[in-house]
Amino acid sequence: MTQGKEPASRVWAVARVAVLALVWGSTFLWIELALAVFSPAQVTFLRCVLGAVTLVVASVVGRRRLPRGWRIWAHLFVAALFCNALPFFLFSVGQETVGSGVAGVLNATTPLWSLLIGLFLGSERRPRPARLGGLLLGFAGTVLIFAPWEQAGTAGWGWLALCAAAASYAVGFAYMGRHLVGRGVPTLSLSSAQLTAATGLSALALPTGGLTPIHPTAVGLVAIVVLGVCSTGLTFHLTYRIIADEGATNAATVGYLLPVVSVALGAIVLHEAIGLRAAAGMVVVLAGVALTRLRKRAPVPDGEADRAVSDADGGARAGKSGCVATSGGGYGGRHVEP
């Protein structure tokens, strides 16, 4: 019975990661379609409103209260600025001149910015050569994609806006990890409150380009609803659930799938052309990100290695006699209440 359940749960875990990658990776497609109707400020505000409403309704259904106290709300507003309102706006601005596929690739540079910020603040001490090499390789790929020596006018500003959005995500994630996560507050309550705070912040920016007349189309309205409800609200919840159930490692793998989804959807739906130089730059960026994510294995003492070999031999003999060994806690992380 246990053996039958394990493959099924593994298939379900893979399916959830695939769904999250598809929904999250399609974000840049929906932004592109929404921008045909709404201004960047309007896209940002509506995205936050719809995402917040989605998660607040989920909180009510799940009987989760929003956090209380001015201190945690102060942290939530800071996190909402750097992780929601600001990058949402910058991605909308950047995608006015840069394709959705490339925007998805630049979103994957967030770990590079996290490492760079860590080096600047001193929280990253003595990074390994592989991580430094990945950092340099990732940014070299970014330069190769856009070839700044060929960019001019709005296209160059769009590229800078997308890079700034990825850097803002890095700041937001670091702040959330230090001041919000692991404080005993359910993650659904935190994400609902954070998008609610982001709604208030994005509303303040509406006077700067958000009050322009709207000429709605069916495609534009569908795009903004899907962007807000699915690609903003539901992805928050799915990400936290994957971290809670399968660990942060599985959730991190989604980041490698987003550029594949964004580039594929951009080419298929929007007919975006990807040149040879841009394609090579994308590969270099992803290779650099992968290098920064490599973890150094701790050396195993000789005595421990001998015991491991002995245990493996014993396990093999036990397997032949019909015994099944299972191991738990593969990620070593704490359970996060959804």
Side-chain angles (χ1 to χ4, degrees), residues 39 92 314:
S39 69
S92 297

Side-chain angles (χ1 to χ4, degrees), residues 268-315:
I268 295 171
V269 180
L270 301 176
H271 306 290
E272 294 177 350
I274 303 295
L276 182 61
R277 173 178 51 77
M282 292 177 183
V283 173
V284 173
V285 166
L286 295 180
V289 172
L291 277 177
T292 64
R293 305 291 292 183
L294 288 178
R295 293 185 178 183
K296 185 178 180 180
R297 292 185 178 181
V300 180
D302 292 339
E304 292 291 335
D306 293 340
R307 281 195 293 273
V309 171
S310 176
D311 290 342
D313 291 340

Side-chain angles (χ1 to χ4, degrees), residues 23-24 26-27 30 47 226-236:
V23 175
W24 199 352
S26 66
T27 297
W30 302 121
R47 179 181 180 182
V226 175
L227 175 64
V229 174
C230 299
S231 296
T232 303
L234 294 183
T235 51
F236 262 57

Side-chain angles (χ1 to χ4, degrees), residues 16 20-21 24 173 187 232-248 250-252 254 336:
R16 284 202 297 180
L20 179 57
W24 199 352
F173 292 155
T187 53
T232 303
L234 294 183
T235 51
F236 262 57
H237 184 59
L238 276 176
T239 301
Y240 281 125
R241 286 306 301 267
I242 288 177
I243 293 174
D245 295 343
E246 281 95 37
N250 271 8
V254 180
V336 181

